[in-house]
Amino acid sequence: MDDQTRMLTGLAGLGGLAQADVGDPDSVRKQQSLGQPQQDIGDILQQIMAITDESLDEAQARKHALNCHRMKPALFSVLCEIKEKTVLSIRGVQEEDPPDPQIMRLDNMLLAEGVSGPEKGGGSAAAAAAAAAAGGSPTDSSIEHSDYRAKLAQIRQIYHSELEKYEQACSEFTNHVMNLLREQSRTRPISPKEIERMVAIIHRKFSSIQMQLKQSTCEAVMILRSRFLDARRKRRNFNKQATEVLNEYFYSHLSNPYPSEEAKEELAKKCGITVSQVSNWFGNKRIRYKKNIGKFQEEANLYAVKTAVDAANVSAQASQANSPATPNSGSPGSYSFSHTGDAYLGLRSLNGEGLNIAPSLQLQVDTLHRATHLTGGYEELSGSGLYTPHRLDANSWQDTTNPPSVTSPPGPPGSVHSDTSN
DNA sequence: CACTATGATTAGTC
DNA sequence: GACTAATCATAGTG
């Protein structure tokens, strides 16, 4: 509208095109008595009024006359120039801004999550890495993994369809505006540069909408991810075999249940869990064993027997005639420790007072350990540097804080053993 | 549903 | 950084 006014002013100045004698003569007189600017405005208003009074044909004819006027291109170029120098130069300052850091961040994240990148990209890789880091059984993680992937694909699909919609809308609107401006440029001064600028403005507006889309997509991915992480955090018991392997190691190294890094790695490989899970397991096991040795007595005996039997088998196979010290070595089931409680009680009675469970068990296990070690049964674990060098002094790991809880658990003094050997 | 077992986490220590 | 001790949170069980 401002442009139009200015244009009309310009046209008035062209002479021959303006109708100064239109309207109420009185008002004209009044205007003449006023100052020059007011007079100009009055003229303009009158001209506008005159235009509205004109018939459509008349207006068209005048428009045509305007368009064909020999001075029109020159006038338009001058007006365009003036516009460039005033309004647009002010606006132009904030243009050519660098790419928005936030949108870059969002783009990076979407790319990293495999939403905006190429199909089957980082998302699944990230999920796989996350699953691997969390450990757990491969089947479980793969189920969760596929679930995660499906959800991510869904998000991806929505994102892309929305993005496409926005892009389409943006180009449609841009085309529309461009056509409109081109059309208008015939009647008001619009330079191609201005059209470009307008397009840029439209694109900015649409990119802010896109940013919102990206933002909400990111949020969705984060929510999905956190859910997935939560799912991975859900505790899953290790499988029986893994627990067995860990327990075997623990009880066969009861004097120093601190597997070295290598041992942990090997155990992790054997059990299909991560090294940190092995560490967790040993940490928990040590503390829980120490806290309540009695509770673990049976288990300890079981594994002591188990390892002994295994070792006996190995030794029997290795040197069939050279093992008189391992009776019944040929039939594991009939090993003399088949009644573990009895075996333990027997050892305890051998211990005299038999007040300290740990040493008695230790004795048992260590004896077995020694025996098996001599026959080569533990070569694999203890003979290949898999023992952690520190804390080699037997039982020191239990002695540190152990005495109150182990040798005198809550209850009557005499009931220590009934507690610990139940 | 209460209870126990157990894997994971966290704060503190060495 | 490894470890302990306490704790959390969930799985499994009767």
Side-chain angles (χ1 to χ4, degrees):
Chain A
M1 189 49 98
D2 191 34
D3 290 336
Q4 274 176 337
T5 318
R6 249 181 287 160
M7 174 145 174
L8 285 168
T9 318
L11 289 173
L14 278 173
L17 289 167
Q19 288 184 325
D21 53 345
V22 184
D24 176 26
D26 269 3
S27 67
V28 173
R29 247 199 318 278
K30 264 182 231 159
Q31 283 161 23
Q32 278 166 352
S33 69
L34 293 166
Q36 191 59 34
Q38 283 89 343
Q39 193 184 355
D40 285 350
I41 292 166
D43 282 348
I44 293 159
L45 284 171
Q46 278 194 7
Q47 283 169 42
I48 292 166
M49 295 304 289
I51 288 167
T52 55
D53 286 344
E54 280 174 10
S55 72
L56 203 61
D57 287 344
E58 244 180 303
Q60 287 290 350
R62 272 164 55 75
K63 189 179 161 190
H64 184 68
L66 264 174
N67 277 333
C68 297
H69 196 276
R70 63 191 168 85
M71 290 296 284
K72 189 222 164 188
L75 173 69
F76 267 39
S77 76
V78 168
L79 289 172
C80 282
E81 221 172 282
I82 293 165
K83 273 177 88 173
E84 283 294 323
K85 280 179 185 162
T86 55
V87 184
L88 295 174
S89 67
I90 296 162
R91 257 189 246 161
V93 176
Q94 61 201 25
E95 281 174 24
E96 313 268 329
D97 48 356
D100 188 353
Q102 178 156 13
I103 213 160
M104 274 174 73
R105 232 182 12 245
L106 291 172
D107 276 337
N108 286 340
M109 195 200 145
L110 290 172
L111 204 65
E113 293 296 332
V115 176
S116 61
E119 198 77 41
K120 308 240 169 200
S124 55
S137 72
T139 42
D140 282 357
S141 68
S142 73
I143 290 163
E144 283 167 8
H145 183 181
S146 65
D147 196 33
Y148 176 83
R149 222 166 32 182
K151 293 245 164 64
L152 195 70
Q154 211 177 329
I155 291 172
R156 185 192 164 91
Q157 201 206 323
I158 292 166
Y159 170 76
H160 281 292
S161 75
E162 288 294 306
L163 203 65
E164 209 176 312
K165 244 193 276 175
Y166 282 137
E167 267 162 13
Q168 204 182 332
C170 179
S171 72
E172 264 175 34
F173 189 69
T174 307
N175 277 340
H176 178 72
V177 169
M178 272 170 76
N179 288 336
L180 208 66
L181 288 174
R182 278 201 203 104
E183 186 71 29
Q184 285 187 357
S185 71
R186 282 199 265 160
T187 52
R188 67 186 184 100
I190 298 171
S191 65
K193 217 173 173 181
E194 199 183 338
I195 296 178
E196 259 174 52
R197 230 168 245 142
M198 192 57 86
V199 168
I201 289 166
I202 293 166
H203 281 176
R204 264 208 299 278
K205 292 282 176 206
F206 271 91
S207 84
S208 77
I209 296 170
Q210 261 186 26
M211 192 163 86
Q212 278 176 24
L213 171 69
K214 283 175 180 176
Q215 210 155 14
S216 58
T217 306
C218 272
E219 273 170 28
V221 170
M222 292 311 280
I223 289 165
L224 176 67
R225 225 175 137 70
S226 72
R227 269 197 208 143
F228 179 68
L229 281 165
D230 283 351
R232 283 180 301 137
R233 278 181 54 160
K234 271 185 185 172
R235 196 175 61 73
R236 285 279 138 80
N237 288 358
F238 299 154
N239 61 38
K240 214 174 168 187
Q241 192 218 328
T243 315
E244 221 156 273
V245 169
L246 293 167
N247 271 318
E248 246 170 67
Y249 186 96
F250 180 80
Y251 288 112
S252 66
H253 296 78
L254 203 52
S255 59
N256 186 40
Y258 295 86
S260 65
E261 202 54 37
E262 291 156 321
K264 280 180 192 170
E265 274 168 28
E266 190 161 335
L267 287 167
K269 216 193 299 182
K270 269 186 188 172
C271 302
I273 57 178
T274 64
V275 172
S276 63
Q277 282 178 304
V278 172
S279 297
N280 282 341
W281 189 91
F282 272 89
N284 284 324
K285 191 71 181 179
R286 279 192 298 264
I287 198 73
R288 282 163 188 165
Y289 179 85
K290 199 163 97 175
K291 266 186 173 176
N292 193 353
I293 290 177
K295 202 175 78 183
F296 291 95
Q297 206 48 225
E298 207 164 327
E299 191 177 73
N301 290 333
L302 202 77
Y303 281 100
V305 170
K306 198 171 153 63
T307 48
V309 169
D310 286 352
N313 280 340
V314 169
S315 70
Q317 278 169 11
S319 53
Q320 288 204 341
N322 279 346
S323 57
T326 53
N328 302 327
S329 57
S331 51
S334 61
Y335 198 77
S336 59
F337 278 120
S338 56
H339 299 292
T340 53
D342 291 352
Y344 165 68
L345 286 170
L347 278 171
R348 194 184 56 183
S349 62
L350 284 172
N351 233 10
E353 297 162 45
L355 284 174
N356 197 337
I357 296 304
S360 70
L361 176 71
Q362 200 52 56
L363 180 69
Q364 179 188 348
V365 173
D366 283 350
T367 309
L368 285 163
H369 186 186
R370 245 195 319 281
T372 51
H373 189 68
L374 282 170
T375 56
Y378 279 95
E379 275 307 314
E380 199 189 351
L381 281 174
S382 57
S384 55
L386 297 184
Y387 257 127
T388 310
H390 74 292
R391 293 190 193 240
L392 273 174
D393 48 327
N395 296 331
S396 68
W397 71 277
Q398 298 173 56
D399 290 342
T400 50
T401 50
N402 173 12
S405 61
V406 174
T407 55
S408 56
S415 67
V416 170
H417 274 293
S418 57
D419 256 347
T420 50
S421 61
N422 55 337

